[in-house]
C-alpha cells in the first residue's frame, strides 16, 4: 500500500512546476480561462456586437422554409457574428455566451455541493466509530444504487415552475452525486488517522472537528481538488442531458444543453446551429478532463511514475539499477521523500 504523507510547501511547489511543464495542461487551463472570461464578459461582448440573447429577428429567417436563417452558415453577417437561431432569429453569439454562463455556473455550483457533502460524510465516516462508519457506508451504497437520472427527472418535474431552474439543477445534481467524493475522503481519512501527528492530536484531547480542520483537511486538499476537476465536466454533461430532455433550463434562458435540445430538428437545414453549442460543450469537457488528469499526476508523482512504466520514456529515463537519470526525475524522487 502506498504510504500516506502530508503535502508540504516544497511538494506543492514541485507539483506546480510539473503542472506548468505539461503543454496539454497549460493549453487546457488557457482554454478554460478564456471561456470563463467570455462568460463573465457576456453582457459587454453582446453589447459590443449590438445584440442580446432574447430579441427575435423575424426578418432574418425564411418563414416559407419553416424558419431557416437567411444567408449562408446560419445567417452569419457583420451584425450577427455567428448567425441567428432558426425559428426565432435570436443572435447565436449572444446566446452562446449567456449559455456558457449558465452551464458553467450550474456545473461549478453542483461540484461545490458534491464536494461539501462528500467531505462531511467522508470525514464523519472516517473519524467516527465503527457503527457510524458502517451506517454511513451502507447509506452511501444504497444511494449509489438508485437510478439517479430517474430521480432527477422526477424532482425537476414536481418543483413549481417559478423556482429558479439553474438553482434547482445545482441542488439536484449536487445532492444526487456526492457519493464518489465521500468514498475518496473516507478512504483517505482512514489512512491518515494512522499517522503519528493525527494520532497525537486525538490523544491530546482534540475533538473530531479540530482534528479534521487542522490535521486532515490540508492533506485531503490534493485528492479532493483533483476529483473536483473531474466532476466539473461530468456535471456539464449532466446539465446538458437534462436540458436536452426538456427538464433543465427553460427558454428564454440560454444554456448549451437547451440549445442542443432545440437543434435536433434543424441539423439538416442549419448544421451550424448544432455544431456551435456541441463544439463549445466538447471543447469545455475535453479541457476540464485533460486539466484534471494533469492535476492528478502533478500532485501524485507516484501516479506519473506508474504511468511511465513500460513506456519508452520510462525505460530511457532510468538506468539499469532503476535510478532516475534526469534532473527532473531526481527532483521527482526527492519530492516523494
Amino acid at each position: 500500500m502506498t504510504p500516506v504523507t502530508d503535502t508540504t510547501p516544497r511538494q506543492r511547489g514541485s507539483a506546480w512546476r510539473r503542472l506548468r511543464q505539461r503543454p496539454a495542461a497549460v493549453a487546457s487551463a488557457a482554454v478554460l480561462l478564456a471561456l470563463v472570461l467570455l462568460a463573465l464578459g457576456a453582457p459587454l461582448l453582446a453589447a459590443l456586437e449590438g445584440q442580446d440573447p432574447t430579441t427575435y429577428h423575424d426578418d432574418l429567417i425564411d418563414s416559407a422554409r419553416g424558419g431557416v436563417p437567411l444567408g449562408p452558415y446560419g445567417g452569419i453577417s457583420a451584425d450577427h457574428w455567428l448567425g441567428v437561431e432558426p425559428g426565432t432569429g435570436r443572435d447565436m453569439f449572444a446566446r452562446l455566451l449567456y449559455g456558457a454562463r449558465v452551464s458553467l455556473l450550474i456545473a461549478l455550483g453542483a461540484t461545490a455541493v458534491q464536494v461539501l457533502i462528500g467531505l462531511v460524510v467522508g470525514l464523519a465516516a472516517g473519524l467516527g466509530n465503527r457503527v457510524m462508519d458502517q451506517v454511513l457506508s451502507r447509506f452511501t451504497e444504497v444511494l449509489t444504487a438508485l437510478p439517479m437520472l430517474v430521480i432527477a427527472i422526477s424532482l425537476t418535474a414536481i418543483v413549481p415552475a417559478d423556482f429558479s431552474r439553474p438553482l434547482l439543477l445545482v441542488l439536484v445534481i449536487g445532492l444526487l452525486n456526492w457519493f464518489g467524493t465521500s468514498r475518496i475522503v473516507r478512504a483517505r481519512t482512514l489512512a491518515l488517522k494512522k499517522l503519528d501527528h493525527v494520532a497525537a492530536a486525538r490523544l491530546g484531547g482534540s475533538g473530531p472537528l479540530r482534528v479534521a480542520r487542522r490535521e486532515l483537511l490540508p492533506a485531503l486538499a490534493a485528492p479532493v481538488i483533483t476529483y473536483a476537476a473531474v466532476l466539473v465536466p461530468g456535471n456539464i454533461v449532466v446539465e446538458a442531458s437534462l436540458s436536452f430532455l426538456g427538464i433543465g433550463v427553460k427558454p428564454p434562458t440560454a444554456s448549451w444543453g437547451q440549445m442542443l435540445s432545440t437543434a435536433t430538428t434543424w441539423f439538416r437545414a442549419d448544421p451550424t446551429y448544432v455544431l456551435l453549442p456541441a463544439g463549445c460543450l466538447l471543447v469545455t469537457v475535453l479541457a476540464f478532463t485533460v486539466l484534471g488528469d494533469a492535476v492528478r499526476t502533478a500532485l501524485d508523482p507516484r501516479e506519473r511514475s506508474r504511468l511511465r512504466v513500460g513506456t519508452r520514456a520510462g525505460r530511457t529515463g532510468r538506468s539499469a539499477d532503476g535510478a532516475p537519470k534526469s534532473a527532473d526525475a531526481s527532483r521527482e524522487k526527492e519530492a516523494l521523500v
Side-chain angles (χ1 to χ4, degrees):
M1 180 178 178
T2 302
V4 180
T5 58
D6 288 333
T7 304
T8 64
R10 181 178 181 181
Q11 289 173 328
R12 288 194 293 266
S14 300
W16 175 244
R17 183 174 59 251
R18 286 192 294 270
L19 191 62
R20 288 185 301 172
Q21 290 174 350
R22 301 192 62 175
V26 175
S28 299
V31 169
L32 294 176
L33 178 60
L35 182 65
V36 170
L37 292 178
L38 289 174
L40 292 176
L44 178 62
L45 293 173
L48 182 63
E49 187 195 22
Q51 305 296 335
D52 62 76
T54 58
T55 300
Y56 284 48
H57 300 278
D58 296 331
D59 57 322
L60 298 179
I61 57 176
D62 188 355
S63 58
R65 299 174 57 197
V68 177
L70 297 172
Y73 306 107
I76 293 178
S77 64
D79 295 327
H80 300 277
W81 298 345
L82 294 179
V84 296
E85 186 180 55
T88 63
R90 292 179 293 195
D91 185 76
M92 279 293 296
F93 179 72
R95 291 188 65 78
L96 281 175
L97 292 179
Y98 279 87
R101 302 181 88 185
V102 173
S103 296
L104 289 177
L105 177 64
I106 292 174
L108 294 176
T111 301
V113 174
Q114 290 171 299
V115 170
L116 179 61
I117 297 177
L119 271 175
V120 173
V121 176
L123 284 172
L127 288 176
N129 54 34
R130 185 179 182 85
V131 175
M132 180 177 290
D133 185 18
Q134 290 295 323
V135 170
L136 291 177
S137 298
R138 300 294 84 77
F139 177 68
T140 302
E141 291 174 359
V142 170
L143 292 181
T144 305
L146 295 178
M148 291 305 164
L149 182 59
V150 176
I151 296 176
I153 293 174
S154 303
L155 290 176
T156 53
I158 64 177
V159 172
D162 57 348
F163 192 86
S164 174
R165 189 60 56 150
L167 177 59
L168 175 62
L169 291 177
V170 167
L171 295 177
V172 168
I173 297 173
L175 293 175
L176 297 180
N177 293 281
W178 51 266
F179 321 119
T181 306
S182 67
R183 287 178 171 178
I184 292 175
V185 172
R186 173 186 174 273
R188 188 74 171 175
T189 300
L190 292 176
L192 290 170
K193 282 200 311 185
K194 301 176 182 179
L195 295 181
D196 293 340
H197 68 93
V198 178
R202 300 181 70 187
L203 292 175
S206 298
L209 291 178
R210 183 180 178 86
V211 171
R213 180 170 54 88
R214 301 196 60 177
E215 308 296 340
L216 297 180
L217 286 180
L220 289 171
V224 169
I225 291 174
T226 301
Y227 190 64
V230 178
L231 285 175
V232 174
N235 290 336
I236 293 177
V237 174
V238 171
E239 181 276 325
S241 301
L242 293 176
S243 297
F244 182 82
L245 294 174
I247 57 175
V249 176
K250 300 294 184 182
T253 303
S255 80
W256 293 341
Q258 184 264 333
M259 294 173 69
L260 282 173
S261 68
T262 59
T264 54
T265 58
W266 298 99
F267 69 95
R268 291 184 181 273
D270 184 14
T272 306
Y273 185 42
V274 181
L275 295 176
L276 286 175
C280 291
L281 186 63
L282 173 64
V283 170
T284 304
V285 171
L286 182 61
F288 268 114
T289 303
V290 172
L291 184 61
D293 181 72
V295 170
R296 175 175 59 86
T297 55
L299 291 175
D300 187 4
R302 299 181 184 87
E303 181 70 19
R304 184 185 180 191
S305 63
R306 285 194 292 269
L307 294 174
R308 290 165 60 92
V309 171
T311 63
R312 182 176 182 180
R315 292 192 298 269
T316 58
R318 295 183 178 276
S319 59
D321 58 354
K325 288 183 179 181
S326 64
D328 289 341
S330 300
R331 288 194 299 268
E332 186 174 302
K333 183 179 180 180
E334 182 181 349
L336 301 178
V337 178

